[in-house]
Amino acid sequence: MNDGGPLMLSHGANKSLWGNVPALDVLYLKQNEGDKLPKDIHLLFAASGDIRNVVKTLSGLPKSFNRKCRVVVNDKDLDIVARNAILLLTVLHYEPDEATNMMLHIWYSALIPQRIFISLQNQILPLIQDVCAKICKKPPMSLQSKTWTYGSRSLKLVLQKAIWDCLPSYLEIPNGLSAIKVQKVMVSTTLAPERIDYLERAFYKRPPHWRICNAKFRKDGILLPLGSSRKDFNTPNPTFFQTNDMWPMFDSADPLDGWPLIEVFQKAPFAKNDIYGSLFRYLQDVFFTFCSQIKTHQICFQLFHVNAQNLPDLIKQDSVATNIFDRIEVSNIGDRGYLGPQATLAIFGPLLKPKSQNPHATLIVLFLNAVHETSNLLNQLSPTRLELERAVNYIQVSLAILQTNNTSDPDLIKLTEACLFFREYDRLFERFYHECRFEEISKDAGLKVKPKYTIVAPWPMRLKKSASLEEFIILLGSGHTGSERYVEWENQI
């Protein structure tokens, strides 16, 4: 569940294979349990999208961690679940060095080296085909599960039989799809001629080196440092393509949006303006740590493919205890366009451990659309005097442009968008809070909003009042708005 934010025209397939808010460590142990961990840790990602939050969380486990960790991951989109299953099987099946490189390109590159594709076909595809063969006579809608065990680690995948039958296709290249055609299909979305105005508006907000790097990525779809050879990347990534004629995401989809940019740019290579080179090196480090943690810890993954509201029943069938999770992260299904706050709390509140078992147990909900649902058209389109005064401290715009009010002027467009970063969103969210009766629905679910957040800041992408020019430039160039709002809940008792 990753789409949201202010209303805008989109182009391409309505699919979110890459996250569009930065990855989150949902445990954040140093601010929570510390060394006082429960016997086992149980984590639920109820509408996961990609597994970046899983990766960020488990890569942050301390070396001294010696508990068993159960991680439940669910999404209603088959493309996402299939890719997540393939990524986790890759992590479990290969040594960390090899798994890191494979994981990075399976996740983010439209073309992959042939050796990776052959290895997936030889090592991972037979695991799935074996399950399909064994359940071939089962009813199409019946739930079938398979657990792959690797020492103290395991992955359990629960799917309908008909969905299992589809799974091998995510490791097979569609007929007629070549490397050349992949790039033609991709560019028809990412560099569509009819979208030139939208693309140039987006580029104008970014520093010149961002534009160069993003244009390169939009053209070849390979996540590598800018100067690295693409010669070996000659094979379509089958996890992206179920047909030979469609790029599966919006043209605005960007791997950078799913990771904390300040951390990413700290990994800059010698070519410090190479933003995708920075992301490449950052992900190498994060993925290697993640793969190493999986290798050395007792971690059991469970993957489901259901609507989030149906997930608790499946979980309860598989568990003795009712209140079992130390952390529940639900993405933005709490937005009113999805389940909404009341249903989200009612469905997932009963799965959160009580304080007697873990006083740090937390339900984390992201509200991507709340302030935009609550604000009226005037709020959205008209910068206030205070917003303009703050924005011009970061963007130099001539007085003449401000006075003419030419809405087609690129500098005025840029300034108007920048004003959103200085908008007073607290008042709008407070209105949303009262409209949705947060205190009442929290009490009904046996929960309460945490008085002090210990995992993620309420407005993690909001520009601070003392923000540097660099921080402003990063936010302006990113896919974020500053209006992304998190809420943390805990059990009442």
Side-chain angles (χ1 to χ4, degrees):
M1 294 280 184
N2 289 317
D3 43 350
L7 291 175
M8 62 174 289
L9 293 175
S10 55
H11 179 70
N14 184 12
K15 191 77 68 173
S16 299
L17 302 186
W18 303 329
N20 70 350
V21 292
L24 187 65
D25 177 354
V26 303
L27 279 174
Y28 202 32
L29 290 176
K30 67 179 181 181
Q31 290 292 330
N32 292 281
E33 288 88 349
D35 295 329
K36 299 177 181 178
L37 293 168
K39 181 180 178 181
D40 296 322
I41 291 286
H42 298 263
L43 309 175
L44 171 59
F45 300 88
S48 66
D50 65 15
I51 55 170
R52 69 193 186 285
N53 289 341
V54 177
V55 170
K56 184 73 171 172
T57 299
L58 297 185
S59 64
L61 290 175
K63 292 182 179 179
S64 59
F65 182 81
N66 59 2
R67 306 294 203 275
K68 185 176 181 179
C69 185
R70 177 189 177 203
V71 183
V72 178
V73 184
N74 174 70
D75 201 275
K76 68 177 184 178
D77 189 302
L78 175 57
D79 290 353
I80 290 171
V81 175
R83 280 167 50 85
N84 290 347
I86 290 166
L87 286 167
L88 289 175
L89 279 172
T90 299
V91 173
L92 290 167
H93 198 80
Y94 296 90
E95 291 299 312
D97 277 334
E98 190 173 5
T100 295
N101 185 55
M102 294 177 69
M103 187 180 177
L104 195 154
H105 292 300
I106 293 168
W107 199 328
Y108 287 118
S109 292
L111 295 172
I112 59 177
Q114 187 180 41
R115 65 180 181 277
I116 290 181
F117 174 69
I118 291 174
S119 185
L120 289 171
Q121 286 233 310
N122 290 339
Q123 301 295 322
I124 305 300
L125 180 58
L127 300 177
I128 298 168
Q129 290 173 327
D130 180 61
V131 179
C132 294
K134 289 178 178 177
I135 64 172
C136 64
K137 295 184 179 180
K138 298 291 185 180
M141 297 297 105
S142 65
L143 282 178
Q144 304 296 324
S145 67
K146 168 65 180 178
T147 301
W148 293 279
T149 301
Y150 296 80
S152 62
R153 306 154 295 142
S154 66
L155 168 62
K156 180 177 182 179
L157 181 57
V158 182
L159 301 171
Q160 288 182 342
K161 187 267 180 184
I163 301 301
W164 274 105
D165 290 340
C166 296
L167 206 56
S169 68
Y170 290 88
L171 289 171
E172 297 168 338
I173 298 172
N175 290 333
L177 187 64
S178 64
I180 292 174
K181 187 163 186 180
V182 162
Q183 293 191 317
K184 286 182 179 179
V185 167
M186 183 185 66
V187 166
S188 70
T189 295
T190 59
L191 293 172
E194 65 270 28
R195 293 284 289 179
I196 188 66
D197 182 55
Y198 292 92
L199 182 60
E200 289 182 350
R201 283 181 182 225
F203 276 12
Y204 195 68
K205 296 190 300 179
R206 299 174 177 178
H209 63 277
W210 280 43
R211 302 171 200 166
I212 293 169
C213 295
N214 187 252
K216 173 72 171 174
F217 185 73
R218 284 172 178 264
K219 186 176 181 180
D220 69 22
I222 300 170
L223 185 55
L224 283 173
L226 193 65
S228 295
S229 171
R230 271 75 172 159
K231 183 181 67 173
D232 292 339
F233 289 76
N234 54 10
T235 305
N237 181 345
T239 71
F240 279 143
F241 301 100
Q242 292 303 289
T243 68
N244 64 9
D245 59 357
M246 188 181 74
W247 179 243
M249 289 176 276
F250 286 134
D251 60 346
S252 57
D254 191 334
L256 285 165
D257 290 342
W259 302 95
L261 291 182
I262 297 296
E263 293 180 21
V264 168
F265 294 153
Q266 289 172 352
K267 291 292 183 181
F270 292 115
K272 294 192 179 297
N273 287 332
D274 181 1
I275 58 172
Y276 290 95
S278 299
L279 180 63
F280 177 82
R281 293 181 184 277
Y282 172 81
L283 292 179
Q284 278 186 320
D285 284 356
V286 172
F287 289 178
F288 181 76
T289 301
F290 172 70
C291 294
S292 299
Q293 295 278 40
I294 303 304
K295 182 78 173 175
T296 57
H297 289 93
Q298 299 180 64
I299 298 178
C300 300
F301 294 102
Q302 290 179 286
L303 264 62
F304 294 95
H305 168 239
V306 295
N307 284 318
Q309 59 262 44
N310 299 326
L311 185 60
D313 288 339
L314 286 180
I315 291 173
K316 289 172 185 176
Q317 290 173 20
D318 200 54
S319 304
V320 176
T322 303
N323 309 85
I324 52 174
F325 290 102
D326 300 277
R327 300 289 190 276
I328 302 174
E329 190 273 321
V330 300
S331 187
N332 69 312
I333 62 174
D335 277 330
R336 286 185 286 198
Y338 300 109
L339 292 183
Q342 184 172 10
T344 298
L345 299 187
I347 290 167
F348 293 102
L351 297 181
L352 193 65
K353 280 184 179 178
K355 288 187 174 182
S356 60
Q357 294 183 35
N358 185 355
H360 303 281
T362 303
L363 168 63
I364 307 160
V365 184
L366 168 64
F367 293 95
L368 277 181
N369 302 316
V371 299
H372 306 288
E373 292 172 353
T374 307
S375 62
N376 58 38
L377 192 61
L378 185 63
N379 292 141
Q380 292 184 35
L381 298 181
S382 303
T384 66
R385 183 181 183 87
L386 180 60
E387 290 165 2
L388 282 168
E389 288 175 353
R390 292 188 64 190
V392 295
N393 289 326
Y394 295 91
I395 296 179
Q396 300 303 313
V397 178
S398 70
L399 182 61
I401 290 175
L402 291 173
Q403 290 175 336
T404 58
N405 197 30
N406 179 3
T407 56
S408 297
D409 185 280
D411 286 321
L412 190 58
I413 292 172
K414 184 177 180 180
L415 178 65
T416 302
E417 294 197 21
C419 285
L420 294 174
F421 302 140
F422 304 100
R423 182 143 297 175
E424 181 50 63
Y425 287 124
D426 292 274
R427 179 176 53 83
L428 293 172
F429 190 77
E430 186 177 353
R431 186 190 304 172
F432 176 82
Y433 184 99
H434 290 297
E435 285 179 0
C436 295
R437 303 176 294 111
F438 266 42
E439 292 188 11
E440 181 180 338
I441 64 176
S442 298
K443 185 177 180 181
D444 289 344
L447 304 171
K448 64 179 181 179
V449 175
K450 289 170 66 172
K452 181 181 179 182
Y453 290 10
T454 60
I455 294 168
V456 60
W459 305 96
M461 271 72 82
R462 180 157 68 179
L463 202 65
K464 297 178 176 62
K465 289 185 178 180
S466 59
S468 66
L469 179 60
E470 180 186 12
E471 290 170 327
F472 172 81
I473 289 171
I474 288 174
L475 181 59
L476 183 64
S478 75
H480 309 132
T481 65
S483 64
E484 300 87 349
R485 179 61 152 87
Y486 280 94
V487 179
E488 297 181 12
W489 274 274
E490 62 184 359
N491 253 311
Q492 289 181 1
I493 54 173

